Amino acid sequence: MGVRKKNMADQLKEARKSRAFAKLTNCPTSPRKMRLVADQVRGVEVEKALQILKFSPKEASRNLEKLLMSAIANWQAKNEDASIEDAGLFVKSICVDSAGMLKRLRPAPQGRAHRIRKRSNHVTLELGAKNISN
């Protein structure tokens, strides 16, 4: 590995250390339904986002609430000396991508069959801090 490439890799590694994120893979919910809930919490403070997810009637909000709690725990593990209230954590980015589909057959009239696609998704949530006091 060249010197320039190694220096760039070291810089990227240092940048990833300060990044707090969590991933949810193969969640058995349609990405379209998950995006409706994800759009509500994008760019919102963590406390307010937790309240939105807690009182949302959609099933996808339960999974996103657990994912947000995991991202907060990851942030606390990396910043042991800082407190959440002082840091001003917010949902920096949340990305919902399509995952694999389960393809099933449903009987149709006249001996035919229709394909049912049971979709799933991957969610990546990243936290940002407005005030980092170290």
Side-chain angles (χ1 to χ4, degrees), residues 7-21 78 92 126:
N7 289 341
M8 190 63 184
D10 291 340
Q11 287 176 358
L12 288 174
K13 193 182 285 186
E14 286 298 318
R16 273 194 216 110
K17 283 183 182 177
S18 64
R19 215 175 123 206
F21 67 98
K78 289 184 178 182
K92 185 175 180 180
E126 183 179 353

Side-chain angles (χ1 to χ4, degrees), residues 8-46:
M8 190 63 184
D10 291 340
Q11 287 176 358
L12 288 174
K13 193 182 285 186
E14 286 298 318
R16 273 194 216 110
K17 283 183 182 177
S18 64
R19 215 175 123 206
F21 67 98
K23 287 184 180 180
L24 174 64
T25 58
N26 294 322
C27 180
T29 308
S30 155
R32 189 172 179 177
K33 292 177 183 177
M34 187 67 83
R35 281 187 195 109
L36 288 173
V37 181
D39 290 340
Q40 292 178 338
V41 296
R42 186 176 287 122
V44 178
E45 287 89 18
V46 169

Side-chain angles (χ1 to χ4, degrees), residues 24 27-29 33-34 36-38 40-41 49-71 94 121 123 125:
L24 174 64
C27 180
T29 308
K33 292 177 183 177
M34 187 67 83
L36 288 173
V37 181
Q40 292 178 338
V41 296
L50 283 172
Q51 293 301 317
I52 290 170
L53 293 173
K54 185 176 181 182
F55 294 110
S56 175
K58 299 200 175 280
E59 184 66 30
S61 65
R62 310 290 174 259
N63 292 327
L64 280 183
E65 185 179 3
K66 286 175 70 175
L67 184 68
L68 182 57
M69 293 300 289
S70 175
I94 182 166
N121 63 52
V123 184
L125 188 141

Side-chain angles (χ1 to χ4, degrees), residues 52-121:
I52 290 170
L53 293 173
K54 185 176 181 182
F55 294 110
S56 175
K58 299 200 175 280
E59 184 66 30
S61 65
R62 310 290 174 259
N63 292 327
L64 280 183
E65 185 179 3
K66 286 175 70 175
L67 184 68
L68 182 57
M69 293 300 289
S70 175
I72 293 170
N74 292 343
W75 184 86
Q76 282 180 329
K78 289 184 178 182
N79 303 297
E80 294 172 353
D81 54 342
S83 70
I84 296 174
E85 292 82 19
D86 296 337
L89 287 179
F90 67 100
V91 179
K92 185 175 180 180
S93 69
I94 182 166
C95 182
V96 180
D97 297 321
S98 172
M101 277 187 277
L102 297 174
K103 293 178 180 157
R104 301 289 181 257
L105 293 177
R106 174 73 45 120
Q110 298 181 353
R112 294 190 183 100
H114 291 157
R115 181 170 285 167
I116 304 295
R117 293 178 305 222
K118 298 190 175 191
R119 300 174 188 267
S120 58
N121 63 52

